[in-house]
Amino acid sequence: MARIFVGDVAADISHGNRKMRGGFMVFNLPHKVTCPGRTALCERICYARKAESTYKEVYPSRVRNLLASKRPEFVEAVIRHIQRNAARRPFFRIHESGDFYNQEYLDKWIEIARMCQNVKFLAFTKSFALDFSNIPANMQVIWSIMPDTDMTTVPSAGSRAYAGACHGMPE
């Protein structure tokens, strides 16, 4: 875990978990309050909620990250951290927990990805109503689909990942 300072707010960027050791950096937000596209099933089976209740430091860290993400210095602080670590960690997972909670926040990540072309960014999202049309080539966004997702809200173009008990869902 690396601590960065965004103005006077300390934020945390993880350097991977058990599944993604080595080359990944990860930025997380608190569950639910930053997930505008969540479904009822998401709320019921949310693994991020489990981590926040199991490990006492997880929730406060994610709340600090949310506060930092709203600061004007956020983009610059994250870019600085990524550029210092990109040689060893060329991949960035935006959110194992949380989501793009509004267009302004998504646009910050688009700017970060544009400024860090030597890093590949990955994000899964249920924030289907936001404008993802300007993402750079080094940023992959995958629509996260649950069995109770309203499929009429999912953009027709782009990659999809089916989560939860998705029996009978299209491949």
Side-chain angles (χ1 to χ4, degrees):
M1 184 81 64
R3 176 127 321 149
I4 65 170
F5 286 89
V6 181
D8 60 352
V9 177
D12 296 316
I13 295 179
S14 167
H15 287 176
N17 60 23
R18 281 181 285 181
K19 293 179 187 176
M20 299 189 305
R21 292 241 184 253
F24 277 87
M25 292 177 268
V26 183
F27 186 81
N28 287 312
L29 296 173
H31 84 288
K32 197 173 181 176
V33 298
T34 63
C35 300
R38 70 187 179 276
T39 68
L41 182 59
C42 289
E43 288 189 30
R44 212 168 53 246
I45 66 170
C46 180
Y47 75 93
R49 181 190 64 208
K50 294 173 192 169
E52 289 174 10
S53 62
T54 303
Y55 304 102
K56 68 178 185 167
E57 283 303 312
V58 170
Y59 182 71
S61 170
R62 292 176 179 174
V63 168
R64 287 191 308 271
N65 284 2
L66 176 59
L67 295 173
S69 75
K70 295 178 178 186
R71 302 285 307 227
E73 308 93 342
F74 178 72
V75 170
E76 182 182 325
V78 173
I79 289 170
R80 212 173 25 250
H81 178 79
I82 290 171
Q83 289 174 340
R84 280 195 309 262
N85 291 278
R88 290 183 333 237
R89 292 180 169 82
F91 304 102
F92 201 112
R93 169 81 184 263
I94 308 169
H95 312 133
E96 288 171 327
S97 170
D99 204 342
F100 299 108
Y101 55 85
N102 64 28
Q103 189 67 48
E104 180 182 357
Y105 175 64
L106 169 60
D107 291 343
K108 288 179 180 183
W109 279 107
I110 291 171
E111 184 178 347
I112 291 165
R114 280 195 202 295
M115 298 302 295
C116 298
Q117 289 290 315
N118 56 335
V119 171
K120 293 193 184 312
F121 292 81
L122 173 65
F124 292 84
T125 187
K126 291 176 184 67
S127 295
F128 309 132
L130 300 180
D131 179 6
F132 290 86
S133 64
N134 293 319
I135 63 169
N138 64 322
M139 184 175 178
Q140 168 99 32
V141 174
I142 299 174
W143 310 125
S144 182
I145 312 294
M146 298 293 285
D148 61 341
T149 296
D150 176 357
M151 295 303 288
T152 64
T153 66
V154 181
S156 58
S159 299
R160 297 175 181 196
Y162 294 92
C166 292
H167 305 298
M169 297 293 287
E171 291 187 33

